[in-house]
Amino acid sequence: MLLTPSQTKESLLRKLRGVNQVPDLPIVLAPLLNYLQQPVDSMQVAEVVRLISRDKALTAQCLHLANSPLFGRWQPVDTVHGAVVALGLRRMREIATSCCLLNLTPRASKLDPVVFWEHALGCALASRHLARAVGFADPEKAYLAGLLHDFGILMHLWLAPREFQEAWEKARAAHIPLQDAEEEVLGVGHSETGRMLAERWRFGDPLVAAIGGHHDVAKVTAHRSLVAIVALSDVLCRMGGLNHGYSEERQVDMVEEPAFAVLSEEFPAIHTLDWERLTFELDTFVVEVHQLVNVVSCPK
Amino acid sequence: MSAGVMTAAAGPERARALDPQLFRIRDSIYQTTGMFQPDHTLRLLEERVMRRMQAIQVRTLREYREQLSGSPTAPAEVAKLLQEIRDGSQGFFRHPEQLQALRKIVLPRLVLDPSRKEPRTLRIWSAGCSTGEDAYTLAMVLMEESADRLKEFRCEVLATDADEAVLERARAGIYDDPSASQLTPHLREKYFTPLEDRWQVTSPVKAQIKFSQFHLLRDSPTEQMKGIDVIFCKDVLIYLDGLDKRRILHHFSRSLLPHGYIFLGSGESLHGIQEEFHLVHLPSTIAYVRPNSTLEAGN
Ligand SMILES: C[S@@+](CC[C@H](N)C(=O)[O-])C[C@H]1O[C@@H](n2cnc3c(N)ncnc32)[C@H](O)[C@@H]1O
Ligand SMILES: [Fe+2]
Ligand SMILES: [Fe+2]
C-alpha cells in the first residue's frame, strides 16, 4: 500500500542521500552536463560538438531545437557544428541542456512525463523573455534557471513514481498547485527535493536558489531577482498552455505576486511591463513547444 | 500528426523565412488597435495583408506598412485590414477558455459579492453585440449554470450595439447551422428550434436577453447599464483610438459593480491605455478588474 506522507518523505530523503539510489546520469549526459556548467568564455566549440555528437539521438534532438524559431533560427542547420556556429555557444548550451533534461525524464506509464518537460521548456523561454524585458543582465542564466526550476519533479518521478502520481492526480482533481499536493501526499514538495539534488550535483548557487526558492520567493536571500523571474514565468506558464498537464483554477494578479515586489526592487522597468503582450507571446511558445515535443520525444 | 515525417527542421514553411516587415506590421497593428498577433499567426496575417495589398495596389510589405500609420487614410486602412483579420470570426461559444473561466472562477466569486444592490440578480452586458451570437452564448451559459451555481439567481444579459441593422438580426435570433461553430449538437437541440433550413433560438433563451441600441461614445448610460457584473466587449475597442477607448472604459467603470470583470476579444490588450483596471490571469485567458477587488471564493 501507499506510505503515509511522513514515511514517504523519510524514504525519499533516504534515497536522495544514498549514493546508489539517485539515478545515475546517463553515461553520455554526465560529461556534457558537467562541461556545460562552466562559463561560456572558457568553453571550446570543438569539445561541445564532440560531446553532443557522441550520441546520435541527442544529436538529432539538438538539431530539432536548433532549427526551431524558439531558438532564433529560421534557416535550416544540419550539423551540430553548423548549429554552434550559427547560434553561438550560449544558445547551444541552452539547447543541449534542454535535451539532456528531456533524456533524464523517466517514461512513466500512466503519467505522461513529457508535460513536465514542456513546462520546463516553456518556463525557460518565458524566463529569458521576462529577463530581457526588465533588463536583467544574464537572460541565458534565466533560461537555464527556468529550464531546471522543477528539477525536483524529475526526482519524484524517479524515486517515488506511485506517490508522485497520486499527488499529481490530487492536484489535477482539485485544480491546485502541484507543490501543495506534493507536500500533502509526499510530505515534501519538489522545490525541497530539487534543491537537495541540485546541491549534490553541484548546479551552482544561482540554479540551486531558483530550484529551491521558486515557490516561496519572499524567503529567498540570494539571487533574488533571478528566482523572482523564474517564479513569475512559472506562474505564467501554469496559468497558460504550458502547465503540468492540468489547469489551476485560480485568478492571478501578477502585480500582487510576492515575486513581483522582489523583482521591482532591482528592476523598476517591471512596473511598465506589457504583461498582455508577454502572455500572448507565450501562445506562440505553446504551439512551438508542442510541435517540438512531437518530433523530439518519440521513443528511440 | 505523424511525428517525425514533417519535422520542424525540414517542414516547407520553415524553409521560407518570414519577412521581417511582417513583425513590424504586427507591432504597428498592436500599437494602433491594441490587438496582438503572436508569431505563429503571422503566416495568416501575411495572406490577409497580401489581399489588402492587391486591393489597394501596393507592391511591397514596407509600402503597405507605411499605409498603416502616418497617412491620413491610415485609420481606414487599419479598419479594412482588421475586417480581413476578423472575417468569419462570429459564432457561438467562441473563446471557450473565457466561458470556462466565467463559469469556474468569475461567477463563483461574483455570487459572493456583498456590494450588489439586488442580492439575487446577476447581470452581464455584451457591449457591441453585433448579430447576437455572443449574447446568446452567454445566456445559454447562464442557463446551464442556473441549475447549480446560480440556483437562486435571476440572470440578465444586456446586449447593445450602435447599429440598428445588426440588432434587428440579433433580435430575430435566426442563424445558419449554429453548430458549424463551437456549439455542441446537444446544446443546439436544447436551445434552438429548426426553422426551414435554419435554426432559431428558443424563447426561454431570448427571454434572458434585452437588446437595445446604444452608441458607446455618444449615448449616456441608462439605468439598465448600472450594477453590471461582467462586461464582454469583444472586437469593438480595436476599431477605436486611445482617447475613445479611454472614454468607453470610463463609462464601463461607472456601469460595473466594484468587483466586476471586463472581458475583451482574443489578443486584445488595454496595456498603456488606462490605469483603473488591472490585468488578471485566469486559466488560459485574461480579464480586467479593479485592483484589490479580490473576493475570496473559498479556494
Ligand atoms: C466586429 S463587431 C464585434 C461583434 C461581437 N462583439 C463579436 O465579438 O463578435 C463590432 C461591433 O461593434 C459595434 N460598434 C462599433 N463601435 C461602436 C460604438 N461606438 N458603440 C456601439 N457599438 C459599436 C459595431 O456596430 C459592430 O456590430
Ligand atoms: Fe515548481
Ligand atoms: Fe514550475
Side-chain angles (χ1 to χ4, degrees):
Chain A
M1 250 345 300
L2 289 173
L3 305 170
T4 68
S6 67
Q7 284 171 321
T8 311
K9 179 176 182 177
E10 261 322 297
S11 99
L12 250 173
L13 297 184
R14 218 176 314 118
K15 284 181 190 166
L16 268 176
R17 278 184 220 109
V19 184
N20 304 326
Q21 276 140 329
V22 172
D24 280 330
L25 275 175
I27 204 87
V28 213
L29 297 185
L32 176 60
L33 265 181
N34 271 337
Y35 192 78
L36 294 173
Q37 301 263 330
Q38 61 181 315
V40 168
D41 303 336
S42 45
M43 280 188 202
Q44 303 284 322
V45 173
E47 184 60 6
V48 173
V49 172
R50 190 184 70 80
L51 287 170
I52 294 175
S53 306
R54 287 201 302 176
D55 186 283
K56 257 187 156 162
L58 180 67
T59 304
Q61 289 169 338
C62 286
L63 284 177
H64 278 301
L65 264 65
N67 279 296
S68 160
L70 292 174
F71 294 88
R73 190 65 199 166
W74 292 89
Q75 296 302 322
V77 288
D78 52 12
T79 64
V80 174
H81 187 265
V84 181
V85 171
L87 301 175
L89 265 177
R90 285 173 201 280
R91 253 317 116 79
M92 209 54 209
R93 172 166 67 176
E94 293 180 359
I95 288 172
T97 316
S98 306
C99 291
C100 286
L101 193 75
L102 176 65
N103 295 318
L104 283 174
T105 311
R107 311 212 161 261
S109 49
K110 260 180 89 183
L111 252 184
D112 183 6
V114 163
V115 299
F116 301 108
W117 187 69
E118 289 192 1
H119 171 71
L121 197 57
C123 188
L125 293 161
S127 298
R128 183 167 78 198
H129 218 83
L130 183 56
R132 284 222 191 91
V134 299
F136 182 77
D138 194 347
E140 279 82 20
K141 179 166 281 166
Y143 180 94
L144 291 179
L147 184 72
L148 297 169
H149 78 286
D150 277 339
F151 201 63
I153 290 181
L154 218 62
M155 288 307 102
H156 290 166
L157 279 167
W158 276 109
L159 300 176
R162 267 194 339 148
E163 290 82 357
F164 175 73
Q165 182 171 334
E166 197 199 334
W168 181 83
E169 271 160 11
K170 184 168 197 156
R172 185 183 58 166
H175 303 281
I176 56 170
L178 189 51
Q179 172 87 2
D180 299 351
E182 286 169 331
E183 280 168 9
E184 264 179 65
V185 176
L186 305 168
V188 57
H190 62 260
S191 61
E192 200 178 329
T193 2
R195 184 207 312 267
M196 289 183 64
L197 204 78
E199 278 168 353
R200 282 207 23 199
W201 282 7
R202 301 185 198 293
F203 269 11
D205 293 345
L207 290 181
V208 171
I211 292 169
H214 69 275
H215 286 292
D216 199 356
V217 183
K219 290 216 187 87
V220 173
T221 51
H223 308 287
R224 298 175 77 221
S225 293
L226 177 71
V227 183
I229 287 172
V230 170
L232 291 173
S233 306
D234 179 40
V235 173
L236 269 182
C237 289
R238 278 153 51 204
M239 294 306 290
L242 290 165
N243 49 37
H244 294 125
Y246 66 90
S247 65
E248 294 173 22
E249 284 181 0
R250 312 192 278 142
Q251 173 173 314
V252 174
D253 185 340
M254 288 296 166
V255 176
E256 283 164 18
E257 288 290 297
F260 185 95
V262 169
L263 199 54
S264 68
E265 288 166 21
E266 206 183 329
F267 298 99
I270 194 161
H271 286 289
T272 51
L273 184 82
D274 188 344
W275 285 102
E276 285 90 338
R277 183 172 176 147
L278 181 57
T279 308
F280 301 146
E281 273 168 336
L282 220 60
D283 291 344
T284 293
F285 298 167
V286 177
V287 173
E288 296 289 346
V289 166
H290 286 327
Q291 255 174 29
L292 259 186
V293 163
N294 248 328
V295 289
V296 152
S297 74
C298 36
K300 295 148 240 166
Chain B
M1 193 187 294
S2 66
V5 179
M6 203 57 98
T7 66
E13 314 107 73
R14 294 275 181 257
R16 190 169 58 87
L18 275 174
D19 190 318
Q21 288 292 336
L22 278 171
F23 292 88
R24 300 233 194 138
I25 290 175
R26 179 264 301 277
D27 288 352
S28 152
I29 297 172
Y30 184 51
Q31 268 215 322
T32 43
T33 69
M35 187 180 58
F36 187 77
Q37 298 167 90
D39 291 6
H40 66 277
T41 63
L42 292 187
R43 294 255 175 243
L44 214 57
L45 178 66
E46 187 176 28
E47 280 170 30
R48 284 149 172 174
V49 165
M50 294 294 183
R51 249 177 271 154
R52 285 306 306 153
M53 283 167 60
Q54 255 184 354
I56 59 168
Q57 308 249 314
V58 158
R59 256 179 213 101
T60 66
L61 285 171
R62 172 193 292 273
E63 274 175 81
Y64 185 72
R65 183 168 63 83
E66 282 156 10
Q67 299 286 319
L68 289 178
S69 59
S71 88
T73 55
E77 185 50 39
V78 171
K80 292 242 173 65
L81 179 59
L82 281 181
Q83 237 157 37
E84 283 286 347
I85 293 172
R86 285 299 171 203
D87 188 31
S89 68
Q90 292 268 49
F92 294 90
F93 286 83
R94 279 188 315 152
H95 309 145
E97 329 71 51
Q98 272 186 355
L99 300 174
Q100 200 65 3
L102 179 73
R103 296 174 81 149
K104 295 285 165 76
I105 296 174
V106 174
L107 294 179
R109 279 168 182 265
L110 288 174
V111 296
L112 298 181
D113 187 346
S115 70
R116 72 180 57 252
K117 282 197 214 71
E118 296 167 84
R120 304 234 167 268
T121 309
L122 201 110
R123 311 183 63 220
I124 297 187
W125 179 9
S126 169
C129 66
S130 187
T131 43
E133 286 89 339
D134 277 339
Y136 285 121
T137 300
L138 291 168
M140 290 179 225
V141 166
L142 294 176
M143 286 169 87
E144 290 292 298
E145 288 293 318
S146 64
D148 179 20
R149 268 181 271 262
L150 299 177
K151 213 176 205 150
E152 283 148 13
F153 274 76
R154 199 166 63 83
C155 298
E156 287 176 11
V157 176
L158 174 66
T160 65
D161 202 286
D163 180 353
E164 188 52 49
V166 290
L167 275 175
E168 208 45 58
R169 290 172 54 195
R171 284 196 194 96
I174 300 169
Y175 300 92
D176 296 337
D177 188 2
S179 60
S181 56
Q182 308 207 42
L183 181 82
T184 61
H186 166 72
L187 289 178
R188 186 186 65 183
E189 299 309 315
K190 196 165 165 188
Y191 294 120
F192 290 82
T193 46
L195 187 79
E196 287 157 30
D197 55 350
R198 310 181 76 200
W199 294 79
Q200 180 162 34
V201 181
T202 60
S203 359
V205 183
K206 283 189 177 175
Q208 302 253 317
I209 309 183
K210 287 198 182 113
F211 286 103
S212 55
Q213 188 182 19
F214 183 76
H215 195 291
L216 291 166
L217 287 162
R218 293 188 206 129
D219 298 335
S220 39
T222 62
E223 217 31 55
Q224 279 190 76
M225 289 152 202
K226 299 277 164 64
I228 302 282
D229 287 277
V230 188
I231 296 176
F232 278 79
C233 185
K234 292 160 59 158
D235 295 350
V236 177
L237 298 179
I238 51 175
Y239 296 96
L240 307 173
D241 65 22
L243 192 65
D244 284 346
K245 283 191 178 100
R246 266 193 292 282
R247 282 169 56 197
I248 290 181
L249 285 161
H250 185 66
H251 288 314
F252 284 172
S253 160
R254 288 191 294 174
S255 293
L256 265 188
L257 288 169
H259 301 292
Y261 286 75
I262 300 176
F263 283 94
L264 303 178
S266 74
E268 266 188 77
S269 160
L270 292 180
H271 179 75
I273 293 293
Q274 50 84 49
E275 303 275 293
E276 179 171 5
F277 293 98
H278 256 215
L279 175 74
V280 285
H281 283 84
L282 299 165
S284 296
T285 191
I286 56 173
Y288 292 89
V289 299
R290 294 192 182 84
N292 307 318
S293 75
T294 322
L295 281 168
E296 283 314 317
N299 68 351

